[in-house]
Amino acid sequence: MGYEYPMFERYADGGEPKREPADTNLEKLCVDFIREDCQRLNYSNETEKRGKSGIPYNYEQDVNRLCFERAIHRFLQSGTKETAFDIYYCYSDLFSPFGRGYQATRTLLETLSDHESNGSSLLMSHRDHYSHSVYVFLLGIAVYKGSAEMRHAYNKHFGFEEESAESCNHFLKNWGLTALFHDIGYPFEIAHQQIKTLAYQLVGKQIGKKDRPWECPPPFVSYGKMEQFTKIIEAERYLDLNDIFASELSKRFGKKLGIGYEKFYDILEHRAVDSVLYMDHAYFSGLLMLKRLLAVRDEDGKYTSYDFHAKEPLKELDALIAILLHNSLYRFEFGVIGSFKSGDLSKRLSLKDEQPLCYLLMLCDELQCWDRATYGQNTRKQMSPFGADIFFENGGIQAVYWYDELYGERAKKSSAYQNMNPKADGSIKFRDDIAEFLNLDDVGGLTVSTVLKKKDRILKKYASNSNYLNLYDFALALNGRYSSKLSADTIENLSDTQLIELQTELEREFDKLPLEYKLSNLAQARTYEVHLEKINCFYSSVPMDYEIVTEFSEEELGVLAFWEHDRWEEEKLSMGWIFDDNYKNKEERELRRVHGDLIAFGDLTQEAKDKDAEPMRLLLKLLNLYDGLRMYRLAR
């Protein structure tokens, strides 16, 4: 295989960065895939091309790939929403699915996150989908890495004659688009379920699994004027977005399911109108993705993703069809579940159908049932796995789910635990439910087991709390200390107009950074809640009877500066940097990956120490400016 980060061997003094220890086989598979199989990701044939940091462009792409690898490690070590953010950010920066960088992706992701955290507590049943989508993404990478059958099916469908770095990079991009965005339509389902929950509560009826449409008390939410939502502005070949999907479904599944174009179109046209009990978020996810991709234009104002007059279809349609089908459309609307129970296995989705992204998304969406934040009133009471691992032995998939041993017998009696354990006849409900719509024999079968285990993961969650703290905005401002000479003193008296102009300038400057430095600013912003614990402070959007902090003492700034330097030093070392203060300029420093400040905090110059302290003064101003938050002190 050779050097896994070849440009590090050529330029960096420290050589190839060491691998971080993996806690699970899932993490090992994902990291190995990024490091070993995705070489030359985003490389350019222009040998003289330079990256954003002034180093050779292909060298910077190796650094970007390492950033992605480290982000995966951080998330699988913690599972938090904050570290999930880094995965979304890396993918958006590397592949720009909807235009340049995270800005073009931001609305889709933050809308899902905000609706879940603020609106889902009104539902009877709801679990997180923001971090869940990242887990699904990583599960899919593990399945692709561990299953020869999956790799073969993918390569055959997309025309790769053999496994290569090119086929792996192609998979990473397409699977990321599929998995990371498959649930962005959930806000439409949340609104529907809120009214349904209220209606049931008002009449004193419990929501159960055996609901029938005629039992649902009115009112229920339905979405009108869908013809405006699905309309295509510049179209001659297609009637609307449903027409595009119906045409693709007919080509891909018509013969298998015995359904023609007209039926497919009719089902889609009424998907948001006649859904009494359940609103299919997957349908809205597919529509949102298709609308967003069709809106991507180049600098000349022309569509970059799709030419309505060309014969070639939208290249992302495989991902979009997988998203459209993953929830209930394929299983229930097309009658697949019923056919399985009647003994007709022919309608189950198979890898032989040459729809590998559909198959993989349905599989991983079901397997990912652990470590999901619970929002719904009933869901919060339920027992579920806190962790899991995945193995590939004897040609099949082995999924192991961990339950907290602290709950012992209660965990064993939970429905989730019972469903994952074999009955007297050898059946396992969790596995058999998946087998109703997926042919698991295609991947060598699925084995499921459970383990009672001590839950000892460090969440790194602290007292600081706000539903409104915008990590991205804060990271922009932190970078503004350098690019725009932004300081705590310069922002205090800005008008609303000046603030908008400043935000635009900060985004422009942030976009010029290489991915490594963007992530560093994000990590610095995210870690402040950790540092504040050291001086008995926290921030919150809730008014509290604690002392409000308007400024930090010199002693407190010293403590904060010490811990920020510690964080920065650990980050640099993990990214392959080493100490050396003998370099002529920034370009040489970046090329060799050496830095003169990789020393103990006490040995730093006062100027370097001040660089670590100033952001905390800036934080005090920014919390109020951007979010209306307050900083509090627990005790002197």
Side-chain angles (χ1 to χ4, degrees), residues 1 18-19 21 42 87 103 141 164 181 204 282 302 352 354-355 396-397 400 425 504 575 593:
M1 183 68 70
K18 295 180 181 179
R19 296 172 187 248
N42 289 343
I87 304 292
Q103 294 94 319
I141 290 177
S164 63
F181 302 96
K302 298 179 180 179
K352 297 176 183 178
E354 296 192 17
Q355 302 298 321
I397 300 175
V400 182
D425 60 359
T504 302
M575 288 294 295
R593 297 187 79 72

Side-chain angles (χ1 to χ4, degrees), residues 116 126-133 371-375:
E116 286 203 322
H126 190 81
R127 297 181 297 172
D128 156 80
H129 292 83
Y130 185 84
S131 296
H132 160 73
S133 295
D371 192 27
R372 296 184 66 176
T374 54
Y375 299 108

Side-chain angles (χ1 to χ4, degrees), residues 81 107-123 126 184-191 194 375:
K81 183 176 178 179
T107 301
L108 289 174
L109 295 174
E110 292 185 2
T111 299
L112 169 62
S113 177
D114 290 344
H115 272 76
E116 286 203 322
S117 58
N118 294 305
S120 297
S121 60
L122 300 176
L123 307 183
H126 190 81
I184 58 170
Y186 237 105
F188 288 90
E189 183 166 321
I190 290 174
Q194 283 178 333
Y375 299 108

Side-chain angles (χ1 to χ4, degrees), residues 237-516:
R237 293 181 57 208
Y238 293 103
L239 298 173
D240 54 19
L241 300 180
N242 286 331
D243 188 17
I244 294 177
F245 280 139
S247 298
E248 288 300 316
L249 290 174
S250 179
K251 287 189 296 185
R252 296 163 189 252
F253 298 103
K255 183 177 180 180
K256 179 183 181 72
L257 300 175
I259 299 176
Y261 162 84
E262 290 78 9
K263 181 62 175 178
F264 281 120
Y265 185 85
D266 182 66
I267 290 172
L268 294 175
E269 190 177 31
H270 293 88
R271 200 77 184 138
V273 179
D274 297 336
S275 297
V276 177
L277 288 173
Y278 302 101
M279 186 61 66
D280 183 12
H281 67 270
Y283 171 67
F284 284 95
S285 295
L287 284 183
L288 288 172
M289 289 288 286
L290 184 53
K291 287 173 69 71
R292 190 68 188 86
L293 287 168
L294 293 180
V296 176
R297 298 170 180 265
D298 61 17
E299 296 177 355
D300 298 324
K302 298 179 180 179
Y303 286 111
T304 58
S305 288
Y306 192 53
D307 182 354
F308 287 106
H309 305 284
K311 294 182 180 180
E312 290 297 321
L314 180 66
K315 60 180 179 292
E316 295 92 351
L317 273 172
D318 283 281
L320 300 186
I321 293 298
I323 290 171
L324 179 71
L325 299 182
H326 84 269
N327 181 42
S328 61
L329 193 63
Y330 187 83
R331 304 177 215 182
F332 300 103
E333 199 71 40
F334 299 159
V336 174
I337 296 295
S339 66
F340 178 83
K341 292 180 178 178
S342 66
D344 180 10
L345 306 181
S346 63
K347 291 185 178 182
R348 290 189 304 174
L349 189 63
S350 170
L351 280 179
K352 297 176 183 178
D353 296 322
E354 296 192 17
Q355 302 298 321
L357 292 179
C358 287
Y359 186 100
L360 189 59
L361 182 58
M362 289 186 191
L363 174 64
C364 295
D365 196 39
E366 294 299 317
L367 292 178
Q368 207 294 297
C369 59
W370 74 90
D371 192 27
R372 296 184 66 176
T374 54
Y375 299 108
Q377 298 169 38
N378 288 340
T379 313
R380 290 195 293 268
K381 304 173 186 177
Q382 296 172 357
M383 184 74 64
S384 60
F386 73 84
D389 207 352
I390 189 169
F391 302 89
F392 298 85
E393 298 178 6
N394 301 320
I397 300 175
Q398 296 182 4
V400 182
Y401 293 92
W402 307 335
Y403 288 80
D404 193 346
E405 67 178 21
L406 179 65
Y407 295 99
E409 290 303 314
R410 181 188 166 195
K412 291 182 178 180
K413 293 177 181 179
S414 67
S415 59
Y417 188 94
Q418 292 289 324
N419 290 341
M420 289 179 174
N421 281 272
K423 297 180 181 179
D425 60 359
S427 64
I428 300 176
K429 188 176 188 306
F430 179 80
R431 178 197 62 199
D432 296 344
D433 284 350
I434 301 174
E436 289 189 3
F437 57 89
L438 287 183
N439 187 347
L440 296 176
D441 292 338
D442 290 350
V443 287
L446 171 64
T447 302
V448 180
S449 60
T450 57
V451 175
L452 287 177
K453 187 174 180 179
K454 183 179 180 182
K455 186 178 180 180
D456 55 4
R457 170 182 280 180
I458 299 175
L459 295 178
K460 297 184 179 179
K461 300 293 289 183
Y462 298 88
S464 296
N465 179 48
S466 167
N467 291 331
Y468 312 101
L469 179 61
N470 195 312
L471 185 70
Y472 180 67
D473 286 336
F474 194 20
L476 296 183
L478 289 173
N479 178 61
R481 292 177 297 139
Y482 305 104
S483 60
S484 302
K485 308 302 180 186
L486 189 67
S487 70
D489 299 323
T490 60
I491 67 171
E492 193 163 17
N493 298 314
L494 291 177
S495 66
D496 290 343
T497 301
Q498 290 172 321
L499 180 59
I500 293 173
E501 293 174 350
L502 173 63
Q503 183 77 356
T504 302
E505 176 63 22
L506 292 177
E507 287 187 357
R508 186 181 300 114
E509 293 297 328
F510 197 74
D511 191 54
K512 296 177 182 178
L513 293 176
L515 178 59
E516 180 179 9

Side-chain angles (χ1 to χ4, degrees), residues 607-632:
E607 180 183 2
K609 292 179 180 179
D610 290 342
K611 285 194 302 183
D612 291 323
E614 172 62 20
M616 296 309 296
R617 294 183 62 241
L618 185 63
L619 172 63
L620 282 174
K621 307 296 182 182
L622 289 174
L623 286 177
N624 184 48
L625 188 64
Y626 282 125
D627 303 295
L629 305 181
R630 292 293 183 269
M631 185 83 71
Y632 295 100

